[in-house]
Amino acid sequence: MKIKLLSLLILVGCIGAQAQVQLHRAVTLMGSRFDITIVAVDSAKANQSISEVVSEIDRIERLISDWRPDSQISEVNKNAGVKPVKVDREVFELTQRSLYFSNLTKGAFDISYAAMDKIWRFDGSMKQMPSDEEIKQSVANVGYQNVVLDSANCTIFLRKVGMKIGFGATGKGYAADKGRALMQAKGVKAGIVNASGDMSTWGSQLNGKPWLIGLTNPFAEEENISVLKLNTEAVVTSGSYEKFVMFGGKRYAHIINPVTGYPASGLISATVVGPSAEQANGFSTSIMVLGKDAGIDLMKQFPAYAYLLITDQVEVIKSPNFKFKVKKRLK
C-alpha cells in the first residue's frame, strides 16, 4: 500500500511576524526516491537544510549499503566465515537493533535475509513454482543466530561462509529518522523525510495544520483508505498487493518468509504509526511475515505504535490506538 503526502506545494506565508517558506526536493538515495520537505524562515535556509539532510543520508548509505563494495557492511559480508570486522558504533548499534527484531520474531524478520537466493521472480518471467528443494536451499545461508556481535571490540562476525546481512527493511527508515533528528538538533521547526514511503515527520505544515498523509486503497489506487494527521511521528507501510504471481489459483506475493523461503500470505498490507520509522518498518515487515494473529500479539507489546492491517479477504483491522478514520468498504 502506497503512502503519499497530500497537498504538497511550494508555499510562502507568514507565521506571526516572521516570513516562512515550505520547500520540497526529490532525490535518489540508497537506490530509492527520497522526498524531503522543510519549513524554514526563507528559501535559502530551506534549501540549505534539505542539502544537509541529503548529505546525512548519503553518509549513512556509505556505511550500510550492501551493494556498495566500500561500505562497512560489504566488508562484513566479504569476511563471512573468515573473521570479525570492526565497524563504527553507529553501524554496530543498527545491527544490534535489527538482531533484536530477529530474536523478537523468531526469524520472521531476519537481518541475514540478504543471503537468500532470488528464486522467486515477480516481473512476469516465472512460469512454474520452484521445487521444495530449491526453496529449502534458497534460505540455507539465512540465520540471524549466526551473526555474532562483540560490543567491546565493536565487531560483527558472520559464522558461515556465504552469509550476508543487509538493511533493506530498516535502513531507509533509519535514514529518515536521522534526517529528522539532524534538523531538530539544528532548530528546524518542521518538515518531512519521506524515504520511499518510510516517513519521519515533525512540526506542522506552513499553515499550522498537521501533515496529511494518505494511505492508498490497495484495491483502488485512486482512493485513500485513510488520511493520517501527523505532527512529530513516523509511518511505514509494508504491502504485497503490487508484486505477486499466481500458481494453482493461489497468490504468492513478494515478501518472503526468511525461515521457510516461501512467500508470506494472509495480509495485503500492514501500516504502522509511531515514534520511529526504523522501528515502524521493522514492525510492518514482521507483521507481514507473521500474519494477522501473531502480528497483533507482537504489537500488543509496543503500545507506542498503532497499526492498520488489511487481509487478503478484504478484512480491515486497526489497533485500539489507531486514531484515524478508515474507509469501511475497500472494494
Side-chain angles (χ1 to χ4, degrees):
M1 185 164 59
K2 295 176 182 175
I3 300 177
K4 51 184 178 289
L5 178 61
L6 302 181
S7 303
L8 179 60
L9 303 170
I10 297 176
L11 300 173
V12 180
C14 188
I15 298 178
Q18 190 176 42
Q20 297 277 308
V21 299
Q22 180 174 308
L23 294 185
H24 160 260
R25 188 190 306 171
V27 293
T28 300
L29 295 159
M30 303 178 83
S32 300
R33 173 171 167 152
F34 277 65
D35 290 89
I36 302 163
T37 304
I38 294 290
V39 177
V41 294
D42 55 44
S43 295
K45 178 61 177 176
N47 277 309
Q48 178 189 340
S49 295
I50 290 173
S51 295
E52 288 172 350
V53 173
V54 170
S55 295
E56 174 69 352
I57 296 168
D58 181 65
R59 181 191 68 80
I60 293 167
E61 180 179 358
R62 291 175 185 277
L63 287 176
I64 70 171
S65 170
D66 59 344
W67 57 267
R68 293 183 74 129
D70 57 344
S71 76
Q72 292 185 12
I73 291 302
S74 289
E75 191 66 20
V76 169
N77 292 342
K78 288 174 197 171
N79 285 280
V82 179
K83 65 177 182 180
V85 173
K86 188 174 182 62
V87 298
D88 289 0
R89 181 59 62 176
E90 178 181 7
V91 175
F92 183 90
E93 291 177 352
L94 180 59
T95 306
Q96 196 171 43
R97 291 194 300 274
S98 291
L99 282 177
Y100 167 78
F101 267 108
S102 298
N103 280 289
L104 182 69
T105 63
K106 296 180 173 58
F109 178 100
D110 196 321
I111 188 178
S112 68
Y113 81 97
M116 193 184 301
D117 293 335
K118 305 301 189 291
I119 60 171
W120 295 92
R121 299 185 304 278
F122 302 93
D123 57 2
S125 63
M126 280 190 78
K127 303 304 178 187
Q128 62 182 23
M129 279 271 293
S131 68
D132 290 343
E133 184 59 28
E134 286 174 322
I135 293 170
K136 181 180 177 181
Q137 285 301 312
S138 73
V139 294
N141 288 320
V142 176
Y144 68 93
Q145 303 91 338
N146 291 309
V147 180
V148 181
L149 301 184
D150 181 339
S151 184
N153 294 304
C154 208
T155 61
I156 303 173
F157 177 53
L158 310 183
R159 286 197 182 105
K160 294 174 62 177
V161 174
M163 282 190 71
K164 295 179 181 178
I165 59 174
F167 295 98
T170 58
K172 289 192 289 293
Y174 173 67
D177 288 342
K178 289 289 284 184
R180 176 177 67 182
L182 176 66
M183 292 295 95
Q184 289 175 313
K186 288 179 173 289
V188 176
K189 300 300 183 184
I192 298 180
V193 183
N194 177 4
S196 292
D198 291 16
M199 286 192 186
S200 281
T201 70
W202 74 102
S204 58
Q205 296 185 66
L206 185 65
N207 59 14
K209 294 182 179 180
W211 300 105
L212 301 181
I213 311 298
L215 303 181
T216 300
N217 182 346
F219 303 103
E221 290 192 48
E222 70 281 359
E223 298 177 355
N224 294 316
I225 62 165
S226 184
V227 176
L228 314 186
K229 297 178 180 180
L230 303 183
N231 291 113
T232 303
E233 293 175 270
V235 56
V236 174
T237 293
S238 295
S240 66
Y241 72 96
E242 289 185 311
K243 297 179 182 178
F244 62 91
V245 292
M246 298 288 294
F247 292 118
K250 185 174 179 179
R251 182 179 178 277
Y252 296 89
H254 78 285
I255 296 176
I256 309 298
N257 184 329
V259 177
T260 66
Y262 283 86
S265 60
L267 291 174
I268 292 290
S269 72
T271 296
V272 177
V273 184
S276 160
E278 176 196 342
Q279 299 290 296
N281 200 321
F283 287 129
S284 65
T285 302
S286 299
I287 292 168
M288 289 297 297
V289 174
L290 289 168
K292 178 183 71 173
D293 294 336
I296 291 173
D297 286 342
L298 170 69
M299 296 308 296
K300 287 177 181 177
Q301 303 174 58
F302 301 93
Y305 290 82
Y307 60 80
L308 175 67
L309 312 181
I310 301 175
T311 74
D312 54 11
Q313 300 301 308
V314 203
E315 181 185 8
V316 179
I317 304 154
K318 64 177 184 175
S319 60
N321 60 343
F322 191 87
K323 58 189 178 183
F324 311 103
K325 290 183 180 179
V326 179
K327 188 179 177 71
K328 292 183 178 179
R329 294 181 63 86
L330 301 189
K331 70 175 186 177

